[in-house]
């Protein structure tokens, strides 16, 4: 039996749809269930539902064999897992944003983000010294209230930025969801995992053609 | 200050009696097997010079514990045993033409940045086989590792074998430039197959070369993977590396451990350390690598004694985790005595100890909570009072 770590929230329904496209017989109530661990015996699968940021942790420690995680999380967490497939779902990108005509504070330039590692790496690469402030959500608030002039966050449609009067300043990296595998499971359960990768690859390719 | 009374530096752990017992048994089991293969155990210092052993080691600089000695030299807590043994072999033991088989069971130190609980000091059991460049040496080291793990009681595990010489030859033939080879190698090292494929597709290559690079990811499994790789190998170096793997598979079959072994041509365990055959071992119940090893023909040259060498190391803490709690503890008896019958109690304990039994000799007045104390033993013998008789309770 394979244990699959699924991210709750934004990516979940698209990931579930893809698994169904790949021919997995998964009950519909999975999405609305409040259970955190759900067995699907006829497919020899167990699903665990985790916070997107935690999916990589469960997979790295091997309590989940495989998982679905955004590239943003993989870049932020730098966990020791195999990144096997680009599922091409939930496309978005990481960007620097701020108020229109943002002026960077000359003494203490501050950047608020849920992704402190990515943000600090990005600004270091640019040769710019900034203070990174870690937030856990509603990052758009930071420039409005004066916590930081700029933010680094996920942008998918740009609606949240717009509604809060923010504009995108720079794009950092394109993000899609990835199929990840624990290094030990990759060896010990190679048959089952290979099969899953093949079925997912088919489903992705079929999806692209449509 | 009180808060820190029970604290230890980040990643450092105490080993309590139960765990110590298990650890010792596993270490001894592996050591016994290794000794029967004619390897000699050695010890090296915990502290080494950063300039020599520190920089020769396969462990990243940021993971080294460093300190200064009184003359201001930078020292490191040894991050692995391979580099110290290479130093030792190069300076003293190794005579050209005489293969050397050394083994160790020792603690190594690696600073941890993430999740404070991860061990920064842990024990490794391993061997180094210096001075023999044949595939028989590779096969011996891999098979010995398998036998030693089996001797320790491990059943469900698998060894993945690759050949970095093959990967490098393939990459160099197509990319022609060390920097570009390294970029591509890094994707494999980071296990980022998505990035690897994207990068390969972005390179201006002929469709044949692109195909050669992309197919590398699928060259896994049994011996047939070698044949598959040979079918599109173009250079002499590729063929030589693949022939080595083929021979290795044959030898491993002779050792009778072929079913524990799988090939993966894309295996890259380290960015620069290994030079030929390399391998990793994984076990059920542990999410992390149990051990690894491979050929490091360039390390001894760093100590001015160029020589082929190969070896393996297994992490004892992870082996313990893989084996779980099924292991049986030996029986311990408590002899509880009162002062007037001490001589009699000691005579009894001595006799049992000579038979190899484990005995605790305890003066009754030294224990306050009798129930809790005796509960920890398999058997308690009371030698109490002037005229009392022995009482036994289980």
């Amino acid at each position: 039996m394979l244990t699959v770590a699924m991210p709750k929230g934004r990516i979940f329904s698209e990931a579930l749809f893809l698994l169904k496209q790949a021919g997995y017989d998964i009950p519909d109530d999975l999405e609305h269930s409040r259970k955190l661990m759900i067995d699907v015996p006829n497919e020899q699968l167990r699903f665990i539902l985790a916070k997107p940021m935690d999916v990589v942790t469960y997979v790295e420690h091997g309590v989940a064999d495989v998982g679905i995680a955004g590239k943003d999380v993989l870049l932020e967490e730098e966990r020791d897992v195999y990144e096997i497939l680009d599922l091409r779902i939930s496309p978005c990108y990481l960007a620097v944003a701020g108020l229109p005509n943002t002026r960077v504070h000359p003494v203490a330039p501050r950047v608020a983000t849920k992704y402190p590692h990515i943000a600090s790496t990005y600004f270091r690469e640019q040769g710019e010294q900034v203070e990174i402030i870690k937030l856990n959500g509603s990052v758009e608030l930071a420039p409005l209230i004066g916590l930081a002039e700029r933010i680094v966050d996920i942008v998918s449609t740009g609606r949240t930025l717009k509604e809060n009067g923010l504009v995108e300043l720079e794009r950092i990296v394109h993000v899609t969801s990835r199929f990840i595998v624990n290094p030990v499971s990759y060896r010990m359960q190679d048959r089952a995992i290979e099969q899953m990768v093949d079925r997912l690859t088919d489903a992705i390719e079929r999806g692209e053609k449509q | 200050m009180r808060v820190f009374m029970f604290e230890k530096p980040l990643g450092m752990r105490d080993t309590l009696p139960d765990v110590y017992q298990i650890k010792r048994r596993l270490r001894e089991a592996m050591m016994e097997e290794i000794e029967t293969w004619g390897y000699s155990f050695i010890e090296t210092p915990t502290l080494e010079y950063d300039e020599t052993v520190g920089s020769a080691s396969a462990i990243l600089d940021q993971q080294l514990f460093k300190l200064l000695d009184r003359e201001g030299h930078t020292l490191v807590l040894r991050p692995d045993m391979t580099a110290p043994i290479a130093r030792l072999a190069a300076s003293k033991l190794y005579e050209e033409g005489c293969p050397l088989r050394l083994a160790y069971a020792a603690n190594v130190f690696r600073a941890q940045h993430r999740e404070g609980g991860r061990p920064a000091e842990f024990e490794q059991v391993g061997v180094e086989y210096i001075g023999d460049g044949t595939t028989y040496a590779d096969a011996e080291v891999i098979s010995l590792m398998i036998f030693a793990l089996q001797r320790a009681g491990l059943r469900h595990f698998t060894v993945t074998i690759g050949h970095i010489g093959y990967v490098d030859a393939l990459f160099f033939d197509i990319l022609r430039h060390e920097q570009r080879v390294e970029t591509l190698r890094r994707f494999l090292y980071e296990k980022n197959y998505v990035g690897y494929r994207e990068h390969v597709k972005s390179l201006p290559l002929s469709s044949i070369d692109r195909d050669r690079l992309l197919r590398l990811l699928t060259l896994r499994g049994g011996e047939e993977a070698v044949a598959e790789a040979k079918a599109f190998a173009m250079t002499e170096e590729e063929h030589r590396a693949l022939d080595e793997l083929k021979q290795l598979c044959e030898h491993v079959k002779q050792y009778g451990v072929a079913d524990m072994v799988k090939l993966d041509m894309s295996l890259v365990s380290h960015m620069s350390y290994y030079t030929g055959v390399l391998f990793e071992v994984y076990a059920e119940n542990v999410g992390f690598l149990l051990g690894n090893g491979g050929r490091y023909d360039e390390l001894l040259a760093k100590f001015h004694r160029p020589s082929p060498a190969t070896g393996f190391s297994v992490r004892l803490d992870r082996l313990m985790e893989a084996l779980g709690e099924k292991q049986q503890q030996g029986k311990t008896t408590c002899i509880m005595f009162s002062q007037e019958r001490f001589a009699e109690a000691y005579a009894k304990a001595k006799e049992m100890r000579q038979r190899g039994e484990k005995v605790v000799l305890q003066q009754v007045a030294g224990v306050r909570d009798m129930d809790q104390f005796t509960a920890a033993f398999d058997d308690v013998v009371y030698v109490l009072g002037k005229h009392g008789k022995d009482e036994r309770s289980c």
Side-chain angles (χ1 to χ4, degrees), chain A:
Chain A
M1 184 149 92
L2 279 184
T3 303
V4 187
M6 296 281 278
K8 286 194 284 190
R10 198 170 55 93
I11 310 172
F12 190 83
S13 12
E14 282 181 70
L16 199 63
F17 181 74
L18 185 66
L19 283 169
K20 285 183 181 167
Q21 290 296 100
Y24 286 98
D25 181 19
I26 297 164
D28 289 311
D29 58 351
L30 194 66
E31 194 168 354
H32 306 290
S33 168
R34 280 175 177 266
K35 274 199 206 158
L36 297 173
M37 198 155 85
I38 299 151
D39 286 347
V40 182
N42 55 337
E43 292 287 2
Q44 290 277 301
L45 291 178
R46 160 176 289 174
F47 288 93
I48 60 170
L49 276 55
K51 278 256 193 192
M53 279 282 188
D54 293 338
V55 166
V56 284
T57 312
Y58 287 103
V59 174
E60 186 190 37
H61 284 258
V63 287
D65 299 299
V66 302
I68 292 172
K71 182 67 184 173
D72 52 333
V73 178
L74 290 168
L75 288 170
E76 177 63 24
E77 294 280 317
E78 290 193 330
R79 299 284 179 161
D80 187 25
V81 294
Y82 277 96
E83 185 182 332
I84 302 281
L85 267 186
D86 185 349
L87 299 175
R88 317 238 173 103
I89 54 172
S90 312
C92 55
Y93 53 92
L94 278 160
V96 184
L99 288 164
N101 309 316
T102 296
R103 273 231 221 103
V104 175
H105 196 291
V107 183
R110 295 197 176 97
V111 175
T113 184
K114 274 194 286 187
Y115 303 93
H117 180 66
I118 295 175
S120 93
T121 314
Y122 175 73
F123 284 103
R124 254 188 290 140
E125 277 170 5
Q126 309 290 309
E128 199 186 326
Q129 55 176 3
V130 295
E131 182 184 337
I132 307 283
I133 299 170
K134 155 108 198 203
L135 292 177
N136 289 303
S138 306
V139 182
E140 294 79 8
L141 193 55
L144 302 179
I145 196 112
L147 178 66
E149 310 91 81
R150 289 173 292 175
I151 61 171
V152 167
D153 204 14
I154 280 284
V155 181
S156 43
T157 59
R159 236 184 79 198
T160 321
L161 287 184
K162 212 169 176 183
E163 282 180 9
N164 288 293
L166 301 181
V167 292
E168 184 187 314
L169 302 171
E170 288 149 66
R171 280 192 190 197
I172 300 178
V173 64
H174 183 70
V175 169
T176 50
S177 295
R178 309 291 158 95
F179 182 70
I180 58 171
V181 179
N182 171 271
V184 178
S185 305
Y186 187 63
R187 308 296 178 188
M188 298 298 290
Q189 308 237 46
D190 49 348
R191 288 246 168 77
I193 287 169
E194 218 163 289
Q195 212 178 59
M196 196 164 194
V197 170
D198 287 346
R199 285 168 75 170
L200 285 169
T201 311
D202 272 357
I204 297 163
E205 278 166 10
R206 264 186 285 127
E208 303 268 280
K209 276 180 197 143
Q210 278 165 13

Side-chain angles (χ1 to χ4, degrees), chain B residues 190-207:
Chain B
E190 288 175 348
K191 307 185 174 72
N192 182 358
Y193 290 180
V194 174
Y196 178 88
R197 280 192 293 259
E198 278 172 8
H199 185 74
V200 167
K201 284 176 191 159
S202 76
L203 293 169
L205 297 173
S206 71
S207 61

